[in-house]
Amino acid sequence: RMKLDTDIVINEIMYDPLKDKNSGDWVELYNAGEKDIDISNWILKDNDNLHSFAIPSFTILKKDEFLVLCNIAEDFTEIYPEVSNFKGDFAFGLGDTDAVRLYSKSGEIMDIVDYQNTSPWPGNSNGTGYSLELKHPELDNNLAGSWKSSYEKYGTPGRRNSTYVDTGDYLKSANSIDLKNYPNPFADNT
């Protein structure tokens, strides 16, 4: 993951929900750090600087917890009545190709995701009811390969992503690769 000065991660994005089950657009934040973080008055923006949402005062994102920022709270709660860890309403929508940017209250960029609905970004999140999910919070969330379309219809707001992979699995598989070298020895430029 591209390391910024915070452990708050843009972790899931619903940018084009189903028309008949319209939750409105939403963004999930995750605190991947070891301590609670006060995100009061942090600013959420898309790729238009005029589109801005201030996270309400007294908002603490506890370690290993999630917070959903939603476009239309009433629509969100209709689709996700079990989710209580959300804040809204941000007065703009997210496009098929857009950015989600998170700024501290002092204006410092804390996280950014520039996503698209075309390859190499997962395409199954465009109007199908599936969200974009980060595979693991340690991955660089501005890289298309770090994301998948959710396995669960309507995504997983407020909880661990359905596409979550343990980064330790990557390391284990990388350490267990058996290379067959032929011809042996390799040339210097191999």
Side-chain angles (χ1 to χ4, degrees):
R1 169 168 162 69
M2 180 177 68
K3 190 62 180 157
L4 297 172
D5 289 337
T6 183
D7 290 314
I8 303 297
V9 177
I10 298 168
N11 188 59
E12 188 172 5
I13 302 168
M14 176 65 82
Y15 66 85
D16 191 8
L18 279 173
K19 302 305 176 225
D20 63 337
K21 291 270 193 178
N22 192 347
S23 63
D25 296 337
W26 51 266
V27 174
E28 180 187 75
L29 305 178
Y30 173 66
N31 183 348
E34 295 297 317
K35 61 183 178 177
D36 301 349
I37 299 176
D38 183 353
I39 60 171
S40 300
N41 302 308
W42 284 27
I43 304 294
L44 176 75
K45 293 183 177 189
D46 64 2
N47 64 357
D48 184 338
N49 279 327
L50 298 177
H51 295 167
S52 180
F53 171 73
I55 297 173
S57 297
F58 310 109
T59 302
I60 308 295
L61 189 50
K62 295 185 177 187
K63 70 178 185 171
D64 200 35
E65 288 193 355
F66 302 90
L67 177 68
V68 179
L69 305 177
C70 56
N71 171 240
I72 305 167
E74 184 178 346
D75 292 348
F76 180 83
T77 57
E78 186 174 315
I79 304 302
Y80 309 103
E82 72 288 353
V83 179
S84 60
N85 49 336
F86 69 91
K87 304 286 181 187
D89 298 325
F90 58 82
F92 55 91
L94 300 173
D96 296 345
T97 298
D98 211 336
V100 178
R101 300 178 292 161
L102 186 64
Y103 293 87
S104 70
K105 63 183 172 185
S106 65
E108 179 183 1
I109 188 75
M110 303 309 279
D111 200 5
I112 185 169
V113 177
D114 286 304
Y115 66 88
Q116 300 176 11
N117 68 347
T118 57
S119 184
W121 285 85
N124 195 30
S125 300
N126 188 14
T128 62
Y130 295 94
S131 64
L132 277 179
E133 290 185 340
L134 187 61
K135 293 186 240 178
H136 192 281
E138 290 180 9
L139 298 174
D140 183 344
N141 64 358
N142 208 32
L143 296 177
S146 299
W147 294 85
K148 289 190 85 154
S149 293
S150 59
Y151 294 138
E152 295 182 31
K153 198 148 202 167
Y154 315 118
T156 56
R159 61 188 170 94
R160 190 161 104 175
N161 295 342
S162 64
T163 61
Y164 180 90
V165 293
D166 185 352
T167 54
D169 290 344
Y170 288 132
L171 296 175
K172 275 190 261 174
S173 64
N175 288 334
S176 65
I177 292 173
D178 184 22
L179 293 177
K180 305 292 184 199
N181 301 333
Y182 184 83
N184 197 357
F186 280 127
D188 289 342
N189 64 348
T190 301

